[in-house]
Amino acid sequence: MATGKYKQWRTHENLTKLEGWARDGLTDEQIAHNIGIRRPTLYDWKKKYPDISDALKKGKEVVDREVEGALLRRAQGYTTTDHQYKIVDVDEDVLHARRRKAANIFKLDHPEATQQEINDYAAEAVPTRERIELYQNTHEVPPDTTAAIFWLKNRKPVEWRDRKETEISGGLSVNDPYKDLTTDELRKLARDDDG
């Protein structure tokens, strides 16, 4: 085990880094690799040092919430807008006016600057090309049935599970370990016990 390495990872900077990696969706194994330790060592750190555990949980919680939101949007459907852009050359008169404005602002902020420095700044600060929007296209993304089913099965499992429980003669109690088995599975178990 990396002796004492955990200390450097308990600093504010490194806890923020851990949180960021978790937020970026890295697995514990990938995070351990980035730290330079094995995954079991990271698990030990999470158990022993609440600050490390909290940083990882906090980062993962953000991503989990974002994914939940995206899944819900997909299940319900949503409206989206696409934008089409084009890069064009700036008109010479417009370019000249923008550069004069930039030069004047620079001159006020830097009274000791030479005319060459002012001109160089204006040339660098004002681009000769710009992006313009050609059009927007708004459209509806319909609800996704698979996302809706997934959401409901996880949020309301009793109402939305696929299998239905059927009582078998002789009755099985709620705590019976065999209650989730199908009739065919129960018959196979009975045959195995007899043979």
Side-chain angles (χ1 to χ4, degrees), residues 22-166:
R23 187 174 42 254
D24 290 344
L26 271 64
T27 64
D28 283 350
E29 187 165 348
Q30 291 168 324
I31 291 170
H33 179 274
N34 286 353
I35 294 172
I37 59 174
R38 296 176 341 114
R39 189 179 52 192
T41 304
L42 181 60
Y43 290 152
D44 289 342
W45 288 8
K46 284 166 53 174
K47 287 179 198 168
K48 292 178 185 174
Y49 310 111
D51 49 354
I52 290 176
S53 178
D54 292 346
L56 293 170
K57 284 179 189 172
K58 187 176 176 187
K60 288 178 182 181
E61 183 178 322
V62 171
V63 175
D64 290 346
R65 295 288 182 200
E66 289 173 353
V67 171
E68 286 174 3
L71 177 63
L72 180 59
R73 283 184 56 228
R74 191 71 181 109
Q76 293 177 327
Y78 57 95
T79 303
T80 185
T81 304
D82 298 327
H83 302 270
Q84 179 73 32
Y85 296 97
K86 182 176 182 179
I87 304 294
V88 297
D89 291 326
V90 176
D91 179 78
E92 285 296 321
D93 291 335
V94 172
L95 182 63
H96 179 71
R98 288 178 181 172
R99 285 188 173 166
R100 281 190 57 185
K101 180 180 177 183
N104 288 336
I105 292 171
F106 185 78
K107 193 186 303 184
L108 289 173
D109 291 342
H110 303 87
E112 75 290 343
T114 66
Q115 189 60 44
Q116 184 61 46
E117 290 172 331
I118 294 169
N119 292 341
D120 289 347
Y121 171 80
E124 283 182 35
V126 180
T128 59
R129 301 180 62 118
E130 66 184 356
R131 183 174 82 156
I132 60 168
E133 185 172 32
L134 297 177
Y135 67 86
Q136 295 180 7
N137 181 28
T138 301
H139 59 94
E140 297 289 322
V141 176
D144 181 86
T145 308
T146 304
I149 291 168
F150 182 81
W151 182 272
L152 290 168
K153 282 184 176 183
N154 283 284
R155 297 280 293 210
K156 296 183 161 194
V158 173
E159 294 102 35
W160 286 91
R161 69 175 149 224
D162 287 331
R163 65 179 163 71
K164 301 291 181 204
E165 290 186 19
T166 308

